[in-house]
Amino acid sequence: KKVLANRESKHVENDKSSLFLFGRTHSQLGKLVLAQLCKLKPPHLVKKLTRSNDIQPFEPDGTGLLESLARKSDCSLFAMATHSKKRPHNLILGRLFDFAVLDMIEFGVHQLLEPHQFKEISKLRPNLGSKPCLVFDGDDWDASSSTSVMKSLFLDFFRGETLDYIDVGSLDRVLVLTLDPLNTPDSSESLPRTIYLRQYYPKLMKNAATPKVPRVCLEEIGPRVELVSRRTRFASAALNREAYRQSKKGKERKVKNISKDDLFGDTVGRIHVGKQSLDSLVLAKPKGLRRSKGNSSGNALNDESSDEDNQEDDEESNED
């Protein structure tokens, strides 16, 4: 029950494990590439199978055994090495959703240089399973749908554990994936693309211009792999929407007219006031225009006396 509960969908998913296996036939170069890719990932997120498996994932109904092995190993990523006369030194990278193949890309391995072939490897050795800094070099990564899916697949494969914070001082690996630009004006997605995978060690050197900020120098430590894309198999739009759907649990509901300041994190509210008319606005009268109680009574008596005088003048005029 605990195993089944751990495999159920969660609000925060588990870190993705990778399954490394061999096809029905494989070459020595493909075996070495798989071994180097295993070292680029944390050890607890790697499941390796040493036996050969009769799997042809690009054939119709050829992914059944692969999906079964991924379900048993609880892996959502896989890398498989195969070899044939038509497609020599073959490497297949893919990912699964709900233990069914989602995306899959086939590469041909053209070059491999292992870490021991570099001079600086004895001095510069990154920690095993450390989180790398991924750099995608090239302007064509987002130029087409195939290259964007390829970029997303590499990001899932090499990202490792999900961390809230990363100490920049402990960064000891930089993975650079360079996409070779097309020399022809035709931007067809069926053309093979060349990807260069390099691993560097960041060395902090003294900076004469700014002594407090060091100068970063990248020293290549291997492996160096050159891959050329071959066949691809991508998920449909409906399956992509289902796979990329995120849980709404734990998300803050947006309250109307209330926002947060990005700089200080203060809560800011907005109040809407209706249109005001100055004619109906009640204002306090100035003190100079007010009538005091004494002045008002005196004015009243003066008005009464003036009225009596006017009446007497009228009577006298009438007698005359």
Side-chain angles (χ1 to χ4, degrees):
K1 290 183 178 180
K2 291 182 179 180
V3 174
L4 294 177
N6 189 37
R7 295 184 180 182
E8 291 179 354
S9 58
K10 305 178 182 62
H11 173 59
V12 179
E13 294 291 342
N14 301 332
D15 294 328
K16 296 181 180 180
S17 300
S18 301
L19 179 65
F20 291 84
L21 69 162
F22 300 103
R24 183 167 48 187
T25 57
H26 62 277
S27 63
Q28 183 65 20
L29 180 59
K31 185 177 181 179
L32 294 176
V33 169
L34 280 189
Q36 294 301 324
L37 292 180
C38 285
K39 295 178 181 179
L40 295 178
K41 297 181 65 64
H44 64 281
L45 297 179
V46 172
K47 305 290 179 63
K48 292 187 291 185
L49 300 180
T50 57
R51 292 183 178 180
S52 298
N53 302 276
D54 188 8
I55 300 175
Q56 297 178 351
F58 284 95
E59 299 297 328
D61 300 330
T63 60
L65 179 57
L66 175 63
E67 294 169 355
S68 176
L69 294 174
R71 184 183 295 274
K72 290 180 180 179
S73 305
D74 191 17
C75 295
S76 55
L77 299 167
F78 69 90
M80 185 172 68
T82 61
H83 180 73
S84 64
K85 185 177 180 180
K86 187 177 181 180
R87 296 182 181 88
H89 313 302
N90 214 31
L91 176 67
I92 302 174
L93 300 179
R95 52 188 172 183
L96 301 96
F97 170 69
D98 197 15
F99 300 109
V101 174
L102 181 68
D103 298 318
M104 191 165 45
I105 303 177
E106 185 181 58
F107 298 97
V109 182
H110 282 203
Q111 184 188 20
L112 171 65
L113 290 180
E114 297 182 80
H116 65 81
Q117 296 176 274
F118 293 86
K119 296 180 180 179
E120 297 291 337
I121 187 60
S122 59
K123 301 178 182 179
L124 307 175
R125 188 181 298 274
N127 296 323
L128 184 63
S130 60
K131 193 173 181 66
C133 173
L134 292 174
V135 179
F136 291 91
D137 184 22
D139 298 332
D140 296 343
W141 281 111
D142 298 323
S144 62
S145 59
S146 60
T147 54
S148 61
V149 174
M150 194 183 302
K151 176 182 177 181
S152 177
L153 178 59
F154 281 127
L155 188 62
D156 270 351
F157 200 85
F158 294 114
R159 67 185 304 174
E161 298 176 312
T162 303
L163 303 176
D164 296 331
Y165 303 98
I166 298 176
D167 184 12
V168 181
S170 62
L171 182 65
D172 57 1
R173 289 197 301 137
V174 178
L175 282 178
V176 180
L177 292 103
T178 305
L179 181 63
D180 191 16
L182 291 174
N183 297 325
T184 60
D186 185 14
S187 60
S188 176
E189 297 186 2
S190 60
L191 294 176
R193 307 302 299 270
T194 304
I195 298 96
Y196 303 97
L197 174 63
R198 305 285 189 270
Q199 182 175 215
Y200 297 91
Y201 184 89
K203 295 173 64 176
L204 302 180
M205 311 292 290
K206 291 184 179 180
N207 194 350
T210 55
K212 293 185 178 181
V213 180
R215 180 170 55 91
V216 180
C217 295
L218 297 179
E219 188 73 31
E220 189 174 1
I221 57 175
R224 179 191 297 177
V225 186
E226 181 181 343
L227 304 173
V228 178
S229 62
R230 290 175 177 170
R231 293 180 292 179
T232 59
R233 175 180 167 183
F234 300 143
S236 61
L239 186 58
N240 262 334
R241 286 195 299 269
E242 182 69 20
Y244 283 97
R245 189 175 61 179
Q246 296 181 356
S247 173
K248 296 181 179 179
K249 183 180 178 182
K251 291 186 177 180
E252 296 183 0
R253 294 187 59 184
K254 186 177 180 181
V255 182
K256 190 176 181 180
N257 299 326
I258 293 180
S259 60
K260 284 191 176 182
D261 188 8
D262 296 334
L263 184 60
F264 300 103
D266 299 333
T267 303
V268 181
R270 180 181 294 178
I271 300 176
H272 294 274
V273 181
K275 186 177 180 181
Q276 295 183 354
S277 177
L278 297 178
D279 298 334
S280 61
L281 191 64
V282 179
L283 298 174
K285 293 182 178 181
K287 190 174 182 181
L289 300 178
R290 294 180 182 176
R291 289 182 177 181
S292 61
K293 293 182 179 180
N295 294 334
S296 60
S297 61
N299 294 334
L301 293 175
N302 292 333
D303 293 340
E304 291 178 0
S305 60
S306 60
D307 292 340
E308 291 178 357
D309 294 339
N310 292 333
Q311 289 180 1
E312 290 178 357
D313 293 339
D314 294 338
E315 288 177 359
E316 291 177 357
S317 61
N318 290 331
E319 288 177 357
D320 294 339

